[in-house]
Amino acid sequence: MKRVFSIFLFLLMLCAAAAQATEPDGYVATGGRITDQQIYSGAWRQAYMQILNSHSNAIHAYQARTIEYYIDDYTVQVPCKPVSLADMTGDGIPELIFMEDANGMRGDLYIYSTDGTATRCALYVPGITRIGYDDAGMNFDIYLSSANGRTLVLEYDEYEWPWVLQLTRNAFGQYTLLNYLRAEYDNSNEANDLFWHNGSLISYSEYAAALGTMRAGRTMTLSTYTTEDVSRYGFTLDWEGAAAIVNGSGTSGIAKPEIQKDGVMGLTVDKLATRTGPGTQYEGGGTYSVKNQWIKVLSKAWDKRNKIWWVKCEIPYHGEIRVLWTGWKRFDHTTISLDDLPEETFD
């Protein structure tokens, strides 16, 4: 009996060790350690410029990459955009977010936050993307899932397997791990698929439910890159663009183009699903991946059937401009006002 129990205990320990061995490297392995512990004092623009300069070589190495995707039998090449300036905390001052080439093979994520006078690193995640191994696998998604940036969710692939981090902001303004999910898929036999929640093996249904909960209630998408959105990789700025904004005026964190004589520039917060007229009764005009881009808006119209505003836009598409209508909700209302637009009347 003792021998049977010993064998059972040994097998149990072996399974536990195997499960632990498959735990991913990266953020969890580092214990969420932030490598840059420096507190940058002074104005946030000056601090951000100092940080950009100190990371210049690694950011430039990352943005030198060209991502290739194959869609409908032709190749799409997309330059990396490794930097973003986005107000995650709702205080009117943008956070500095960027990717950098860590060692020629991996890409690391940094987020810096400020209260206007003191700046510090809020999050460091090593190895969030692969460089030079499989470009098509360099996908990641980062979004806020609660107001004022209290919760941050990151989704990315560690090799072929999904990795999801849910983080919460502490009293120091830094993000620490709240929950994480991990999946390992066996392409030859799905019965061998494995799923973890905070290091414990769970069922697929439990994994799907936890993932849905983490994704629910997102309030701002900081970064996304899929084959349907090949206009950019990761973020919206290169090093030079971010430096120009930091050295410029205003606190929105995104340089707004000059207002055109025949239209007003508005910043999009989503892909633009369009119609040929201001309402769902008109023919569809397609969906355009211009999220987080400045688009010229020409006019507005009131949709009497659904009681919402539509706006007419000039959308760049493969070297041409398409004039189509989209919902007013797809624009950042702090960058453009309906009062700026002439009204068109439709029956």
Side-chain angles (χ1 to χ4, degrees):
M1 183 68 180
K2 289 183 179 179
R3 182 178 180 183
V4 172
F5 178 78
S6 298
I7 294 174
F8 173 78
L9 183 62
F10 171 78
L11 292 175
L12 184 64
M13 293 174 63
L14 186 63
C15 291
Q20 187 175 6
T22 56
E23 285 297 311
D25 296 328
Y27 183 90
V28 171
T30 65
R33 179 175 58 88
I34 293 177
T35 55
D36 184 0
Q37 294 292 332
Q38 180 176 347
I39 297 178
Y40 302 83
S41 59
W44 66 268
R45 291 182 182 277
Q46 181 180 355
Y48 283 3
M49 200 64 238
Q50 181 181 349
I51 295 165
L52 284 171
N53 283 330
S54 65
H55 290 262
S56 176
N57 289 340
I59 293 175
H60 276 99
Y62 195 90
Q63 76 183 41
R65 299 288 303 176
T66 299
I67 307 304
E68 291 189 354
Y69 268 91
Y70 299 94
I71 301 177
D72 297 332
D73 297 325
Y74 68 92
T75 302
V76 177
Q77 291 187 332
V78 187
C80 287
K81 297 288 188 179
V83 189
S84 179
L85 288 158
D87 183 8
M88 297 167 53
T89 58
D91 61 359
I93 304 175
E95 273 59 51
L96 173 62
I97 310 163
F98 61 85
M99 299 289 301
E100 70 173 29
D101 183 346
N103 55 15
M105 296 180 65
R106 309 293 300 186
D108 293 352
L109 170 72
Y110 289 85
I111 297 178
Y112 284 82
S113 187
T114 181
D115 61 5
T117 59
T119 300
R120 65 192 303 171
C121 188
L123 180 66
Y124 165 70
V125 181
I128 196 172
T129 61
R130 294 163 290 159
I131 298 177
Y133 171 73
D134 178 5
D135 290 348
M138 295 172 66
N139 299 340
F140 63 91
D141 188 17
I142 306 173
Y143 56 91
L144 299 176
S145 59
S146 68
N148 299 324
R150 286 295 173 190
T151 305
L152 184 70
V153 175
L154 289 79
E155 297 185 41
Y156 60 98
D157 288 345
E158 179 78 17
Y159 298 98
E160 287 78 19
W161 297 320
W163 166 266
V164 185
L165 306 179
Q166 183 184 36
L167 306 116
T168 185
R169 200 168 85 241
N170 62 22
F172 299 101
Q174 295 177 313
Y175 285 95
T176 58
L177 189 63
L178 187 63
N179 290 292
Y180 76 89
L181 295 174
R182 174 70 164 170
E184 289 187 7
Y185 293 107
D186 186 334
N187 294 328
S188 61
N189 185 358
E190 65 179 18
N192 295 329
D193 294 347
L194 297 174
F195 306 93
W196 287 270
H197 183 197
N198 296 337
S200 299
L201 283 168
I202 58 175
S203 66
Y204 172 74
S205 60
E206 292 171 320
Y207 171 85
L211 180 60
T213 300
M214 289 185 184
R215 288 173 172 172
R218 68 172 66 189
T219 57
M220 179 191 297
T221 300
L222 301 176
S223 172
T224 188
Y225 182 73
T226 66
T227 54
E228 289 79 27
D229 185 10
V230 296
S231 60
R232 61 186 174 87
Y233 174 66
F235 299 115
T236 57
L237 298 168
D238 55 18
W239 187 96
E240 290 74 15
I245 292 171
V246 170
N247 285 324
S249 59
T251 59
S252 68
I254 301 177
K256 182 173 181 177
E258 294 181 2
I259 295 177
Q260 306 296 311
K261 293 181 180 179
D262 58 345
V264 183
M265 303 302 290
L267 183 67
T268 60
V269 295
D270 200 352
K271 297 179 181 181
L272 297 187
T274 65
R275 297 276 176 170
T276 56
T280 54
Q281 68 271 29
Y282 293 90
E283 184 180 352
T287 299
Y288 299 86
S289 300
V290 290
K291 180 179 177 181
N292 294 329
Q293 295 186 30
W294 291 96
I295 297 295
K296 185 191 290 188
V297 184
L298 304 175
S299 60
K300 64 187 177 184
W302 179 248
D303 181 355
K304 298 177 182 177
R305 298 185 181 186
N306 299 299
K307 300 187 184 304
I308 62 171
W309 284 103
W310 290 71
V311 290
K312 184 164 65 175
C313 312
E314 288 189 356
I315 305 172
Y317 182 74
H318 290 302
E320 65 180 31
I321 298 295
R322 295 187 173 182
V323 180
L324 294 162
W325 292 84
T326 192
W328 168 237
K329 66 181 181 180
R330 293 186 173 88
F331 283 86
D332 182 343
H333 297 169
T334 66
T335 66
I336 185 173
S337 171
L338 283 173
D339 295 336
D340 298 331
L341 303 173
E343 184 173 355
E344 295 188 37
T345 303
F346 288 78
D347 294 329

